[in-house]
Amino acid sequence: MFHFRELQVTTNNFNNKNILRKGGFENVYKGVLSGRSLVAVKRLKNGNAIRGEIQFQTEVKMISLAVHWNLLRLYEFCMTPTERLLVYPYMSNGSIASRLKGNINRRISCKVNI
């Protein structure tokens, strides 16, 4: 389990320049661990909010149940009385969701021979 201070350092104090994605309940930051590993740190916007806490617990449970080499895995997490953070490997090609959304917007042209 990470300490909150470690994740502050990793993300340059949760600098806005390091934001990878903004969500309804969280922001995701790019960070560098002391061993030079790139990570994505998901920080709940309000760790005390009921919906945010439920989302945090659900995500931890689902990720821990879904174990497969093709799936994203959770490195660690951090919990304080006011903060909830999840640490994932950094995906340099973007998220799966962003890839799927990109494909929806792409037109596919086909010629049909009759």
Side-chain angles (χ1 to χ4, degrees):
M1 190 164 114
F2 283 108
H3 293 282
F4 183 74
R5 181 70 187 131
E6 288 176 278
L7 298 179
Q8 277 184 306
V9 171
T10 296
T11 60
N12 195 19
N13 202 29
F14 301 101
N15 191 313
N16 284 338
K17 292 179 182 177
N18 291 337
I19 291 179
L20 298 170
R21 183 177 65 83
K22 290 185 177 191
F25 295 105
E26 79 282 332
N27 288 337
V28 180
Y29 298 85
K30 183 177 179 179
V32 181
L33 293 174
S34 59
R36 311 290 287 164
S37 299
L38 290 175
V39 293
V41 179
K42 183 183 278 191
R43 182 185 191 192
L44 290 181
K45 289 182 180 173
N46 185 351
N48 289 331
I50 300 282
R51 287 188 65 170
E53 179 65 25
I54 291 169
Q55 179 196 6
F56 178 82
Q57 290 179 11
T58 301
E59 188 163 346
V60 170
K61 288 176 188 175
M62 294 305 294
I63 292 292
S64 65
L65 291 173
V67 179
H68 189 274
W69 66 278
N70 278 336
L71 297 176
L72 185 64
R73 71 181 212 272
L74 179 65
Y75 273 162
E76 289 287 340
F77 65 95
C78 174
M79 288 178 60
T80 72
T82 59
E83 297 280 351
R84 303 289 186 268
L85 300 105
L86 300 170
V87 182
Y88 292 99
Y90 173 72
M91 297 173 62
S92 61
N93 292 330
S95 70
I96 294 169
S98 67
R99 296 296 229 183
L100 292 174
K101 287 178 186 174
N103 288 337
I104 290 171
N105 295 329
R106 200 179 309 160
R107 289 187 177 198
I108 300 173
S109 62
C110 300
K111 290 186 179 180
V112 178
N113 294 327
I114 300 180

